[in-house]
Amino acid sequence: MAIRTAGKLFKDLIRQRVISPSIGPSRHCSSAATSAPKIPHSSKKGRRLLTGATIGLVIAGGAYVSTVDEATFCGWLFSATKLVNPFFALLDAEKAHTLAVSAAARGWVPREKRPDPPNLGLEVWGRKFSNPVGLAAGFDKNAEAVEGLLGMGFGFVEIGSVTPVPQEGNLKPRIFRLRQEGAIINRCGFNSEGIVAVAKRLGAQHGKRKLETSSTSSPSNDEAKHGGKAGPGILGVNLGKNKSSEDATADYVQGVHTLSQYADYLVINVSSPNTPGLRMLQGRKQLKDLVKRVQAAHLSKEDLEDIAAVAVALRLDGLIISNTTISRPDPVDKNPVSAEAGGLSGKPLFDLSTNILKEMYMLTRGKIPLIGCGGISSGEDAYKKIRAGATLVQLYTAFAYGGPALIPQIKAELAECLERDGFKSIHEAVGADCR
């Protein structure tokens, strides 16, 4: 599907958020460098804990590195990050989140040096993904840590949601852990530094990544297609509307014009339960009208047939399924924290989101790539999403709890699942439970 504004503006995917392969440069974007993100004073305790733990790991690593090969040492570094997780658990949820993003932005995270298993590679939308495991939007809202996150081994990273004008979001506290259930409730409300700040960061990072890629290799035409616009790893940008905006479409179009030159795909987020009026964009008529203007849509169980019909009729590039839920499935409903308002993510969402994913795959007859998101915490979970119809998958809550060590673990387990069942590639396994 294409939206045409001064020519072909962009193609995109819908989900509860909507995605779109990004297009050419925009005259509205700035590529000026920006200063490194700052850790708030309220996070000083967490910074001291993290610094101490990091120093300990560096000393231990220095004594260990001279005796092993690079792959073994890389594996050790990822495993060692598990030692830091308890320190983050001592902090307030949002302070821990801020500290984690800052650590990734400063390169205080392990960098994956080992190649991904060959059976995990795939091509979608003309882009070659080294693996199908991505990081969902909401973790790096302001594009502070793109390089560090991609460097940890994600096949793709989605930043945002980014709003046109900076906004604080909802009042704190607004993130709540349900650790025993492996879940999180959040009502952040699109807290964002705004399009201008994000464009500056992405511009600086984009130029740096392209320079590093060109200086380290001279790829053939075939090899040049591997990864995203600026090098290995695919970057997505999730766009949101401002809380006070009366024209959601204008907000999304502004985001497309400003940020498309840096993104491999764009996401129009119209499903957040934490922004007033956003979830009203639903139903076949409203959906079709909005898709024709900015390729945006809302996903709910009642709208599945409508969304599938619009997706097929307008030839959308894909759907992401799903977002957080305002429901409180068992056993979350027994936890007192479940009374907090906001969207629920994590393990309790897995069955619900996977069932919707499977139904959407059948409704679209496998013609549209689907991204499975919701409750993935293992390679087996990712594999079930793929068998239910997902071409790509996204993590969030499990990564927040498990840290960097979870990434190579999920990839290795997923590769084993494919081999166990006789699939030579991801594409062969997509929708296997729907045939």
Side-chain angles (χ1 to χ4, degrees):
M1 170 177 63
I3 290 180
R4 300 183 182 274
T5 303
K8 183 178 179 183
L9 180 58
F10 69 99
K11 291 186 175 181
D12 91 333
L13 296 160
I14 77 173
R15 90 186 204 180
Q16 295 189 340
R17 302 167 264 184
V18 184
I19 299 191
S20 117
S22 181
I23 50 156
S26 164
R27 63 182 179 276
H28 301 292
C29 289
S30 167
S31 60
T34 186
S35 58
K38 295 179 174 61
I39 300 176
H41 292 297
S42 59
S43 297
K44 285 184 178 179
K45 176 183 176 183
R47 181 171 55 187
R48 289 195 297 270
L49 289 170
L50 180 62
T51 301
T54 301
I55 291 173
L57 292 177
V58 169
I59 294 173
Y64 185 66
V65 66
S66 61
T67 64
V68 297
D69 61 84
E70 185 177 61
T72 301
F73 181 62
C74 184
W76 178 86
L77 282 179
F78 274 92
S79 296
T81 61
K82 295 177 182 178
L83 300 175
V84 182
N85 290 345
F87 293 101
F88 284 90
L90 296 174
L91 304 175
D92 165 80
E94 187 155 359
K95 290 178 182 177
H97 179 200
T98 300
L99 187 62
V101 173
S102 296
R106 287 164 168 74
W108 297 351
V109 291
R111 189 169 186 85
E112 183 59 82
K113 300 291 187 180
R114 301 161 294 183
D116 287 328
N119 59 353
L120 295 188
L122 72 164
E123 184 172 331
V124 188
W125 313 309
R127 304 288 191 195
K128 290 186 177 180
F129 292 69
S130 62
N131 71 77
V133 182
L135 179 62
F139 185 83
D140 186 6
K141 291 177 176 287
N142 298 302
E144 299 173 79
V146 172
E147 185 177 356
L149 293 170
L150 284 173
M152 282 193 282
F154 282 111
F156 61 109
V157 167
E158 187 177 308
I159 63 103
S161 291
V162 186
T163 57
V165 178
Q167 63 180 29
E168 293 294 325
N170 294 325
L171 295 176
K172 301 177 183 180
R174 55 193 180 186
I175 303 177
F176 308 89
R177 297 184 180 106
L178 294 86
R179 188 174 297 278
Q180 187 173 352
E181 293 81 6
I184 289 174
I185 292 174
N186 94 83
R187 52 170 180 263
C188 291
F190 286 174
N191 51 307
S192 172
E193 293 182 11
I195 282 178
V196 173
V198 170
K200 288 180 179 179
R201 287 198 185 102
L202 288 180
Q205 294 166 7
H206 187 84
K208 181 181 178 182
R209 290 178 65 209
K210 288 192 73 172
L211 182 63
E212 289 177 348
T213 301
S214 61
S215 65
T216 56
S217 62
S218 301
S220 67
N221 289 337
D222 238 16
E223 291 172 330
K225 296 178 183 177
H226 188 84
K229 285 183 176 180
I234 306 295
L235 175 65
V237 175
N238 186 299
L239 305 174
K241 69 176 285 289
N242 281 112
K243 185 176 182 178
S244 60
S245 175
E246 296 181 359
D247 189 347
T249 300
D251 281 9
Y252 297 135
V253 170
Q254 184 179 351
V256 171
H257 277 298
T258 307
L259 299 175
S260 61
Q261 67 171 319
Y262 304 122
D264 295 299
Y265 69 84
L266 295 171
V267 180
I268 312 301
N269 190 337
V270 296
S271 68
S272 169
N274 303 312
T275 299
L278 198 62
R279 293 165 68 90
M280 293 173 63
L281 302 173
Q282 60 183 321
R284 184 174 298 204
K285 183 180 184 301
Q286 296 94 326
L287 175 61
K288 195 167 186 177
D289 290 344
L290 191 55
V291 164
K292 284 182 176 179
R293 295 182 67 190
V294 285
Q295 303 295 84
H298 167 73
L299 178 63
S300 68
K301 188 172 183 180
E302 293 77 17
D303 294 326
L304 290 180
E305 291 185 4
D306 285 351
I307 291 174
V310 171
V312 173
L314 298 184
R315 299 181 181 180
L316 299 185
D317 292 297
L319 303 166
I320 302 181
I321 303 169
S322 61
N323 206 330
T324 60
T325 179
I326 56 175
S327 67
R328 299 293 185 259
D330 185 69
V332 170
D333 59 342
K334 299 179 178 61
N335 190 319
V337 179
S338 68
E340 295 288 349
L344 173 74
S345 63
K347 288 183 179 180
L349 189 59
F350 182 81
D351 289 339
L352 175 63
S353 60
T354 304
N355 289 338
I356 294 175
L357 171 67
K358 187 174 182 179
E359 187 173 354
M360 186 58 73
Y361 180 83
M362 292 187 288
L363 286 170
T364 57
R365 300 183 292 281
K367 294 181 179 180
I368 296 173
L370 305 177
I371 298 181
C373 183
I376 297 173
S377 59
S378 68
E380 188 69 40
D381 289 342
Y383 182 56
K384 288 178 180 178
K385 293 281 190 186
I386 291 167
R387 290 187 63 103
T391 300
L392 303 168
V393 298
Q394 287 183 324
L395 312 178
Y396 182 86
T397 302
F399 177 64
Y401 283 124
L406 186 66
I407 307 168
Q409 174 189 324
I410 286 181
K411 292 191 292 185
E413 291 172 354
L414 177 56
E416 290 173 3
C417 288
L418 291 170
E419 186 174 355
R420 177 192 69 200
D421 292 349
F423 294 116
K424 296 180 180 179
S425 68
I426 294 290
H427 282 305
E428 287 186 5
V430 173
D433 290 342
C434 305
R435 298 167 190 164

